[in-house]
Amino acid sequence: MIRSLTPIAALLLSDALVLLGHGLLLTLLPVSANLLGFSDFQVGLTASSYFVGFVAGCLATPFVLRRVGHIRTFAVLASAYTSIILLFVWSQSFIGWMMLRFMIGAMVAGLYMIIESWLNERADSKNRGTILSFYAMLNLVMITLAQQLLNLGGVDSLLLFTLAGIFLALSIIPVSLTLTHAPTPISKVSVDFKKVWRHSHIGIIGSIFAGLITGSFWALAPIYANDSGFSTFEMANFMSAVVLGGALFQIPLGRFSDRFDRRLILIFMALAGGLISFVTFIASFQDFYVGTVSTTLGFLWGAFSMTMYAICLAHANDNADRCDFVDIGSSMLITFGLSSAIGAPLASVFMN
């Protein structure tokens, strides 16, 4: 595996820095919005705006890639994301946050698309599940570390927004200095859901459910923890546990998906995640829930719920040609983004 990852080390380092900044914002923004007086439904709408922006980024990024290539597009998007982070400090209006979250959704979608298409070009059907699972594990580890950055200052502190901006700015350096050749420039731009459906029914279906789950979690889990009486330390541990569970289980599940039918692995993950969700629901009514129990259940839930998308993506790309990776990646991300945009406000209604 190390031999497969060495040529893309600079790309993975840039990805890690992006996820430190982005992961910090994933928790910081919902809690900050709640402190500004936004209702749960409004927070859900800002999250939906983020995922609508995510879809817009999936549609627009291939045109930029075609014009200037992977490395320059990465630098442009990371620079724009850094600037947008600083604007959150100035804006305290609901409409302003809707617009800003739309823009960061577009930026991060483009960054994901660049990274994932680059990784797919360096992989083949024998190691694609392992490489994409390592990538997903790295993302989740960085997001886990980002949750612990919350302990450096209060959620209303400017320090945390500044840290997020610093990590995004630093992410430009490794990928800009890499000696590894970037992927072949794309010659056409298209979003073809029929192509993805032909390659993998379960890839599309799985990305829909992964989006519903992820959109709901990142939009409302910090507010759920805050309203449930978690301290800042307990909230950081709970969020970290969920993401860490996904990180630690990502590579083992990815390796299993390389050796066995990926569809069977996804069915097992869905059943296990559903069972743990039910146990968490029952336990949340008990007095001993907050603390060790919530953290442990969060870890187990993340292990099976935060690991689905990478295996769905690997399944969708298994029988594809190299020239189709950007098309498939953009279609998968759009599906994921649209379902995430639906999941956030839908879950907020049940939460209320």
Side-chain angles (χ1 to χ4, degrees):
M1 185 175 71
I2 294 177
R3 185 180 300 175
S4 301
L5 297 175
T6 300
I8 52 176
L11 175 67
L12 293 175
L13 178 56
S14 288
D15 173 62
L17 291 168
V18 167
L19 267 296
L20 273 176
H22 181 61
L24 177 56
L25 287 178
L26 285 174
T27 302
L28 180 61
L29 290 178
V31 178
S32 297
N34 192 245
L35 291 176
L36 288 174
F38 296 178
S39 68
D40 290 349
F41 185 67
Q42 286 178 315
V43 175
L45 286 179
T46 63
S48 291
S49 180
Y50 163 82
F51 286 112
V52 172
F54 195 96
V55 172
C58 293
L59 295 172
T61 300
F63 291 94
V64 184
L65 275 174
R66 183 181 182 184
R67 182 177 178 84
V68 299
H70 286 68
I71 293 176
R72 289 180 181 177
T73 304
F74 186 99
V76 168
L77 294 175
S79 299
Y81 195 166
T82 304
S83 301
I84 294 166
I85 290 173
L86 302 178
L87 292 176
F88 276 104
V89 180
W90 292 359
S91 175
Q92 296 187 348
S93 71
F94 170 65
I95 299 300
W97 275 56
M98 288 273 288
M99 295 174 61
L100 291 174
R101 294 213 70 179
F102 174 88
M103 287 188 282
I104 67 170
M107 298 304 105
V108 80
L111 292 170
Y112 280 151
M113 186 180 298
I114 292 166
I115 295 167
E116 290 174 8
S117 63
W118 199 325
L119 291 176
N120 271 305
E121 184 166 297
R122 295 291 182 265
D124 55 43
S125 60
K126 295 180 180 179
N127 63 9
R128 180 168 288 111
T130 300
I131 288 178
L132 290 180
S133 291
F134 180 86
Y135 158 71
M137 183 208 70
L138 177 66
N139 287 359
L140 294 172
V141 167
M142 291 301 105
I143 293 175
T144 301
L145 293 176
Q147 306 313 301
Q148 296 303 314
L149 295 176
L150 291 169
N151 294 313
L152 297 179
V155 292
D156 57 346
S157 171
L158 297 181
L159 171 64
L160 298 181
F161 283 97
T162 304
L163 278 175
I166 289 172
F167 287 126
L168 262 296
L170 289 175
S171 71
I172 301 171
I173 298 174
V175 78
S176 298
L177 295 178
T178 183
L179 298 177
T180 303
H181 292 296
T184 305
I186 59 176
S187 57
K188 62 183 179 68
V189 176
S190 65
V191 177
D192 192 342
F193 293 100
K194 290 183 179 180
K195 180 187 295 183
V196 184
W197 182 256
R198 288 196 303 270
H199 283 301
S200 171
H201 292 8
I202 203 167
I204 288 288
I205 295 170
S207 65
I208 290 173
F209 283 99
L212 289 170
I213 293 168
T214 303
S216 302
F217 176 80
W218 286 115
L220 298 169
I223 298 174
Y224 158 77
N226 192 52
D227 290 348
S228 298
F230 288 34
S231 66
T232 300
F233 179 74
E234 289 169 337
M235 178 172 66
N237 285 342
F238 173 73
M239 299 293 291
S240 296
V242 173
V243 184
L244 183 62
L248 294 181
F249 276 72
Q250 189 71 67
I251 286 184
L253 290 170
R255 285 185 176 275
F256 276 120
S257 77
D258 283 338
R259 297 176 183 176
F260 305 100
D261 192 326
R262 299 196 205 277
R263 295 169 295 181
L264 295 178
I265 302 301
L266 286 168
I267 290 171
F268 165 74
M269 292 164 63
L271 292 174
L275 176 62
I276 296 166
S277 296
F278 179 74
V279 173
T280 303
F281 172 71
I282 298 300
S284 65
F285 292 100
Q286 309 303 315
D287 294 335
F288 55 78
Y289 173 66
V290 177
T292 303
V293 174
S294 62
T295 301
T296 301
L297 288 172
F299 175 87
L300 294 173
W301 185 83
F304 296 104
S305 301
M306 291 289 179
T307 49
M308 295 178 63
Y309 180 76
I311 297 177
C312 291
L313 181 62
H315 190 273
N317 281 290
D318 277 341
N319 300 313
D321 296 326
R322 291 181 180 273
C323 61
D324 293 330
F325 288 153
V326 172
D327 292 349
I328 291 175
S330 60
S331 299
M332 289 284 287
L333 283 173
I334 288 171
T335 303
F336 178 85
L338 286 174
S339 57
S340 297
I342 295 169
L346 182 63
S348 71
V349 173
F350 287 99
M351 186 168 169
N352 282 328

